[in-house]
Amino acid sequence: MANAPVDPTALAASLRPHGESVMLPQAAYTDPAVLAWERRNFFAGTWTCLGRAEELAAGTTHFATTVGDIGVLLTFSDKPRAFANTCRHRGHELLPQGDSSERRAVVCPYHGWSYDLDGAVKAAPRMGDTFDPSPYGLTELPTEVWQGWLFVNALGTAPPFSEHVGGLEDLVAPYRPEALTLKARHSYDVASNWKTIVENYHECYHCPLIHPELCKVSPPTSGDNWNLPGAWVGGLMDLRPDAETMSLDGKSHGIPLPGVDPRTVNYVGLFPNLLISLHPDYVMTHRLEPRTPRLTAIECSWYFPAEVDDPSYAVDFWDITNREDWSACESVQRGADSPHFRPGPLAPAEDAVYQWVTMLARGYLGKSLTQ
């Protein structure tokens, strides 16, 4: 892939050893050309999370979305599939972006070509008796359902998903998120670059100043970060001795998840857009979608055992914490827009941010995300 429109000399400064490096250059957070490159190469070109597979399939057989900058048609029959949202006759969109259908066939509205949900041509009207439709099935794109979430590689050129997820598999699997039930969801529009939001997520250097509620139940200097294979970053933090989970009073009003550490919370970010927070009694995710260099849509979801009736103890805590984070990220964005902005250094405790920044810098330079 072509290198990103980011100064390679500035990226070299971000790739220096931790303790000598600085953050990404200003263009990475403000330049529309950089975001356009990211949409094609980071979002369409790797494995983007579209949400929970069972939720996406509910009430539909197929619908149209965009992954990065590429139109994608998802179909649901024996399994989820993804196809280029492009008719093989003349290229017309099969469905407009955001539209869905419950029909058992995908029908192009231009000339009436139709396709089975597995992508094979079902009918090609008035093409003549000798026409063979078999070479003209929809262009299928790689998909993967992992821990209940659906991922799509819209370019079709990414390394295998197993390589992408790497060592994260063993950390997430004990929580069995695919067996948990969605109990709450909040949507936020944050006036900040998507990468700033991820950087904020991966450090608690800021916690003593802006998260008093969090610091009451989890020491901001606790825990450690992992350095395992895969295109992801993450670490864990401890709960205080009198806390059972992340809630305003530290108490859990849910059900402990069997087989997980009851004294830690794990915070992991799977590139490019899924943040997974693993608690002793629930799983929370943030799914990010950049809209502009300065605006990110965030879908925050809380998953619990089905028996839990009231998730508010966790939702209330994290809604407060989320909004504290969003305010900080928006201030960082305003600062990044200043003509006086210069990339700053990283504190020793910001080693997960260092991993994230160097992953991005390698990607901008056309190198592997997972090395």
Side-chain angles (χ1 to χ4, degrees), residues 180-245:
L180 301 179
T181 301
L182 175 69
K183 294 289 184 173
R185 174 167 290 150
H186 287 182
S187 295
Y188 305 93
D189 287 327
V190 183
S192 173
N193 188 273
W194 68 280
K195 298 183 295 298
T196 297
I197 293 166
V198 178
E199 289 155 9
N200 176 84
Y201 176 83
H202 283 305
E203 54 95 350
C204 213
Y205 187 23
H206 68 274
C207 291
L209 292 176
I210 74 167
H211 291 319
E213 300 85 7
L214 185 150
C215 293
K216 288 179 181 177
V217 293
S218 181
T221 58
S222 67
D224 202 358
N225 294 312
W226 292 290
N227 187 13
L228 296 171
W232 64 278
V233 173
L236 59 87
M237 292 179 65
D238 299 325
L239 293 168
R240 292 194 183 274
D242 58 345
E244 299 170 346
T245 192

Side-chain angles (χ1 to χ4, degrees), residues 130-146:
T130 62
F131 175 68
D132 177 12
S134 57
Y136 298 101
L138 298 178
T139 300
E140 188 159 9
L141 308 172
T143 61
E144 190 79 28
V145 178
W146 177 73

Side-chain angles (χ1 to χ4, degrees), residues 68-251:
D69 61 349
I70 295 177
V72 171
L73 185 80
L74 298 178
T75 70
F76 302 95
S77 53
D78 58 323
K79 65 178 183 178
R81 289 182 168 91
F83 301 94
N85 187 14
T86 302
C87 182
R88 291 296 309 279
H89 174 227
R90 293 274 294 282
H92 196 285
E93 288 179 319
L94 299 161
L95 278 179
Q97 158 73 19
D99 278 14
S100 64
S101 173
E102 297 181 19
R103 300 173 70 171
R104 297 302 303 172
V106 178
V107 181
C108 178
Y110 195 19
H111 296 103
W113 278 42
S114 63
Y115 303 85
D116 288 322
L117 297 179
D118 64 3
V121 177
K122 186 179 181 71
R126 301 176 298 281
M127 289 296 293
D129 295 339
T130 62
F131 175 68
D132 177 12
S134 57
Y136 298 101
L138 298 178
T139 300
E140 188 159 9
L141 308 172
T143 61
E144 190 79 28
V145 178
W146 177 73
Q147 306 295 342
W149 292 291
L150 177 63
F151 294 80
V152 173
N153 170 222
L155 278 184
T157 57
F161 185 80
S162 58
E163 180 180 328
H164 186 77
V165 75
L168 187 57
E169 172 74 33
D170 293 338
L171 295 175
V172 176
Y175 292 82
R176 300 190 64 226
E178 75 283 359
L180 301 179
T181 301
L182 175 69
K183 294 289 184 173
R185 174 167 290 150
H186 287 182
S187 295
Y188 305 93
D189 287 327
V190 183
S192 173
N193 188 273
W194 68 280
K195 298 183 295 298
T196 297
I197 293 166
V198 178
E199 289 155 9
N200 176 84
Y201 176 83
H202 283 305
E203 54 95 350
C204 213
Y205 187 23
H206 68 274
C207 291
L209 292 176
I210 74 167
H211 291 319
E213 300 85 7
L214 185 150
C215 293
K216 288 179 181 177
V217 293
S218 181
T221 58
S222 67
D224 202 358
N225 294 312
W226 292 290
N227 187 13
L228 296 171
W232 64 278
V233 173
L236 59 87
M237 292 179 65
D238 299 325
L239 293 168
R240 292 194 183 274
D242 58 345
E244 299 170 346
T245 192
M246 302 297 278
S247 65
L248 291 172
D249 61 4
K251 303 301 182 184

